[in-house]
């Protein structure tokens, strides 16, 4: 996904004079050609993530469309004050692009983990959140973010599905239909959800555009599945619960949230190990869904 992002951003720099890319050492090798071609619009601020976001906000106020890029915990958690003030409070807009996701570099331990990033964006108005599940989904999502006047957060990951999915307008992409529940899979967890729901009488819908969530599509699918919904998301468990419950507030409903647990795993291992330990592999998701359906 990172390579797909850099390639598309480089191509956009060649054609869109409004665009600027701000880096903090991460991925500078992927933007070497772009920096040589556009030295005033590809800026590396060094390992200064608050400055990264602040500089991007300043470029936005000057009329450019900035893309700021680094690891998720540095871009969102470390620099959240700058996201809140230099974009939100100033009324500026831009595109923030992260790598690392919730635990991609598990060997790096919690300094490089960011399962709380999307939850933080949910505290701010007007931010789109894009979570591709495959590298082939990245260029179109980046185009959508750059072309918009709104701010967007594009969350890249090493975890991915075998094939690209999604819809051009961000509506829910229904891949399997059933009657007992609607299961919404976000980004790179789709393949695990499809494996987990094999043999279950449930609808499976995919999104790589969870903010704003397609609540109209969700309401329609929920009405056909007993207003029973599960959301499987690759970040902090329960992040989408308020949005889903709000969308269904006018009707009795059941909701299961499956995501990264709040317990801190003080282990290194691999991303696949953390996925399993958080119950986000196919076996763990399947167990949660079967228990949820059995309790109906």
């Amino acid at each position: 996904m990172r390579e797909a992002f850099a390639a598309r951003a480089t191509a956009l720099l060649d054609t869109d004079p409004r665009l600027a890319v701000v880096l903090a050492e991460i991925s500078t090798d992927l933007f070497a050609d772009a920096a040589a071609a556009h030295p005033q619009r590809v800026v590396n601020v060094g390992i200064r993530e608050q400055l990264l976001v602040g500089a991007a906000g300043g470029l936005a106020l000057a009329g450019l469309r900035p893309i700021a890029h680094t690891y998720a915990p540095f871009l969102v958690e470390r620099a959240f004050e700058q996201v809140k003030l230099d974009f939100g409070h100033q009324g500026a807009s831009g595109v923030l692009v992260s790598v690392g996701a919730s635990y991609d570099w598990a060997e790096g331990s919690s300094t490089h983990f960011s399962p709380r990033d999307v939850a933080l964006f949910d505290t701010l108005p007007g931010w789109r959140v894009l979570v591709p599940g495959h590298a082939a989904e990245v260029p179109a999502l980046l185009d959508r973010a750059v072309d918009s006047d709104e701010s967007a957060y594009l969350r890249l990951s090493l975890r991915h599905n075998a094939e690209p999915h999604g819809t051009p307008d961000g509506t829910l992409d229904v891949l399997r239909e059933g009657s007992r529940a609607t299961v919404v899979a976000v980004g790179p967890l789709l393949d695990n959800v499809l494996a987990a729901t094999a043999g279950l009488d449930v609808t499976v819908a995919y999104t790589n555009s969870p903010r704003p969530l397609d609540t109209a599509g969700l309401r329609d699918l929920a009405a056909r599945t007993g207003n029973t919904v599960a959301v499987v998301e690759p970040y902090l468990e329960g992040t989408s619960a308020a949005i889903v419950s709000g969308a269904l507030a006018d009707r009795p409903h059941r909701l299961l949230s499956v995501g990264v647990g709040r317990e801190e795993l003080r282990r290194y291992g691999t991303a696949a190990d953390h996925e399993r330990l958080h119950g986000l592999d196919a076996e763990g998701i399947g167990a949660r869904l079967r228990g949820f359906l059995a309790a109906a």
Side-chain angles (χ1 to χ4, degrees), residues 105-129:
W105 191 35
E107 300 91 332
S109 193
S110 61
T111 57
H112 285 70
F113 292 1
S114 191
R116 304 168 186 85
D117 54 351
V118 177
L120 282 170
F121 277 108
D122 279 348
T123 68
L124 302 174
W127 280 85
R128 290 182 172 270
V129 176

Side-chain angles (χ1 to χ4, degrees), residues 67-148:
I67 299 174
H69 167 65
T70 189
Y71 263 82
F74 312 148
L75 183 64
V76 183
E77 293 178 297
R78 181 174 295 175
F80 186 67
E81 183 177 11
Q82 283 68 42
V83 175
K84 179 180 69 175
L85 297 179
D86 296 344
F87 280 97
H89 184 67
Q90 293 290 345
S93 68
V95 182
L96 306 185
V97 181
S98 72
V99 293
S102 292
Y103 41 68
D104 274 2
W105 191 35
E107 300 91 332
S109 193
S110 61
T111 57
H112 285 70
F113 292 1
S114 191
R116 304 168 186 85
D117 54 351
V118 177
L120 282 170
F121 277 108
D122 279 348
T123 68
L124 302 174
W127 280 85
R128 290 182 172 270
V129 176
L130 308 170
V131 184
H134 190 280
E137 299 170 23
V138 172
L141 292 178
L142 181 62
D143 287 353
R144 189 189 305 171
V146 168
D147 290 342
S148 173

